[in-house]
Amino acid sequence: MNILLSFIVVCVIGLIPWIGTTVVNLQFLFGIIIPYAAVATLLVGVVYRIVKWANSPVPFRIPSTCGQQKSLPWIKRNRIENPSNIFETTIRMALEILLFRSLFRNTRAELREGPKLAYGGFPWLWLAALVFHYAFLTVVIRHLRFFLEPVPFWINWLNALDGLMQVGLPVFMMSGLALLAAVSYLIARRIIVPQLRYISLISDYFPIFLIFGIALTGILMRYWFKVEVVSVKELTMGLATFHPRLPQTGIDGYQFLFYMHLFYVSVLIAYFPFSKLMHAGGVFLSPTRNLANNNRMVRHINPWNYPVKIHTYEEYEDDFRDVMIEAGIPVEK
């Protein structure tokens, strides 16, 4: 039910700009107002989430570790799994952010014949996640050429590298196909694996289908249903320079496909701060990852602790000495 509902919602989202631009002629709404509103929502939402996380009290060191902590000099410690200083923590964070190290090391347990408990990993999931994120990043960076003039040389280099395996014209971009393939795998995995399907919610399916729609409409525009790139750049440059205007000649060809693509992107941008996709920023503020485990070297005192009236053993014994002696309980005095 969650799968079907998410798919229907994404399809309806795609039909809205189609009808709005071909029947009602609301190009100004879908080309200018909605993108600006989406970016404003993104900025406000991201700032709100980061400030909220930053204000959350973390009185103690709570890093997730699975290696030997630093203690005595003759005990070999694990510098990456159990960092004790900022440098080691930075390396651990870099491996997590750039290579998804914890996902690669993620293990599963299966009870096999014998009975025998066997452990394994999810290498295909790690590879699909890595391809998905880097392909998405490459696509985003490549699209900056629509918002910048002149286009920086490093974007042109990335564009040339992405199209290294040129097959005819237009140039074949590896990142687009890689993104579509990785998203398809992630969708199929959630649908096929029963355990994963059981725990998956609408919030898990909706962004994946939304990104699939973005990738699909982008590929369709590039290779099959062409739109006028010059007019598209005129529109995007107007948005980037805060002088928004629709192209004078209009976006010829299958313009509804362009507005559908743009609307999908706008919905994803506005949805980003309030979804699980916000882990892109949250990983930097996660105390289980960004803290060094130096509890044996530094004493951490909770700054929110309030004075508590304690009852010492000596006071306890003074209160109940006679009863304790009568019951045969030894006393110090």
Side-chain angles (χ1 to χ4, degrees):
M1 192 63 185
N2 291 335
I3 302 170
L4 183 60
L5 184 58
S6 301
F7 180 75
I8 292 174
V9 170
V10 172
C11 290
V12 171
I13 290 175
L15 290 176
I16 292 174
W18 189 345
I19 297 173
T21 56
T22 58
V23 178
V24 194
N25 292 324
L26 295 176
Q27 285 83 352
F28 188 84
L29 173 65
F30 290 98
I32 295 177
I33 296 179
I34 290 179
Y36 273 140
V39 173
T41 305
L42 172 70
L43 295 177
V44 174
V46 168
V47 171
Y48 169 75
R49 293 292 296 273
I50 290 178
V51 170
K52 183 179 179 181
W53 284 333
N55 287 330
S56 298
V58 184
F60 300 114
R61 299 275 168 158
I62 54 173
S64 297
T65 59
C66 57
Q68 176 61 46
Q69 184 179 359
K70 181 181 179 180
S71 56
L72 299 174
W74 48 270
I75 298 178
K76 185 178 180 181
R77 63 190 177 99
N78 194 319
R79 294 178 179 270
I80 304 301
E81 294 294 351
N82 210 324
S84 60
N85 53 54
I86 296 177
F87 177 72
E88 295 171 358
T89 305
T90 302
I91 295 177
R92 185 191 191 204
M93 286 287 292
L95 292 174
E96 182 69 27
I97 295 168
L98 301 177
L99 297 177
F100 306 160
R101 187 168 182 266
S102 63
L103 182 60
F104 180 76
R105 292 165 54 84
N106 188 21
T107 57
R108 59 181 174 183
E110 295 181 352
L111 190 61
R112 298 181 179 178
E113 294 182 1
K116 182 179 180 181
L117 186 62
Y119 294 91
F122 297 93
W124 289 109
L125 173 61
W126 170 80
L127 181 61
L130 200 66
V131 170
F132 166 75
H133 285 83
Y134 276 103
F136 204 162
L137 177 63
T138 302
V139 170
V140 171
I141 294 176
R142 283 199 297 104
H143 278 65
L144 291 178
R145 70 186 189 276
F146 290 110
F147 298 89
L148 300 173
E149 187 61 41
V151 179
F153 69 93
W154 52 272
I155 294 181
N156 291 327
W157 286 0
L158 180 63
N159 199 64
L161 183 62
D162 197 8
L164 189 62
M165 298 178 61
Q166 181 173 351
V167 181
L169 290 174
V171 177
F172 171 72
M173 293 296 179
M174 294 182 288
S175 60
L177 181 62
L179 176 61
L180 191 63
V183 172
S184 300
Y185 171 82
L186 295 176
I187 293 175
R189 179 175 175 270
R190 284 195 174 274
I191 296 175
I192 294 174
V193 180
Q195 298 88 339
L196 194 59
R197 185 174 65 247
Y198 179 77
I199 64 174
S200 296
L201 306 173
I202 295 178
S203 58
D204 296 309
Y205 291 110
F206 176 71
I208 300 179
F209 281 123
L210 195 59
I211 295 173
F212 182 86
I214 294 173
L216 182 62
T217 52
I219 290 175
L220 289 177
M221 279 193 297
R222 180 171 182 84
Y223 299 107
W224 285 283
F225 306 102
K226 307 296 178 63
V227 297
E228 190 176 302
V229 178
V230 175
S231 299
V232 171
K233 175 124 186 181
E234 183 181 350
L235 173 63
T236 54
M237 285 298 299
L239 293 173
T241 57
F242 297 101
H243 293 88
R245 68 177 187 276
L246 294 175
Q248 298 296 326
T249 58
I251 301 175
D252 296 335
Y254 294 86
Q255 68 168 350
F256 71 88
L257 197 59
F258 167 75
Y259 286 110
M260 184 185 300
H261 181 74
L262 183 60
F263 191 59
Y264 274 143
V265 173
S266 299
V267 172
L268 180 66
I269 289 175
Y271 178 72
F272 183 88
F274 312 102
S275 68
K276 297 179 180 179
L277 301 175
M278 192 57 196
H279 69 265
V283 66
F284 295 95
L285 296 175
S286 173
T288 61
R289 291 289 170 185
N290 62 15
L291 292 178
N293 191 17
N294 56 0
N295 292 292
R296 292 181 177 178
M297 292 156 277
V298 180
R299 182 181 181 185
H300 302 278
I301 300 175
N302 187 351
W304 292 276
N305 277 347
Y306 55 89
V308 178
K309 180 177 175 52
I310 60 174
H311 193 233
T312 65
Y313 176 76
E314 289 78 6
E315 294 173 339
Y316 176 85
E317 189 174 288
D318 290 338
D319 293 338
F320 301 100
R321 180 175 289 105
D322 295 338
V323 179
M324 294 171 65
I325 294 175
E326 183 177 350
I329 301 175
V331 296
E332 293 184 357
K333 295 182 181 180

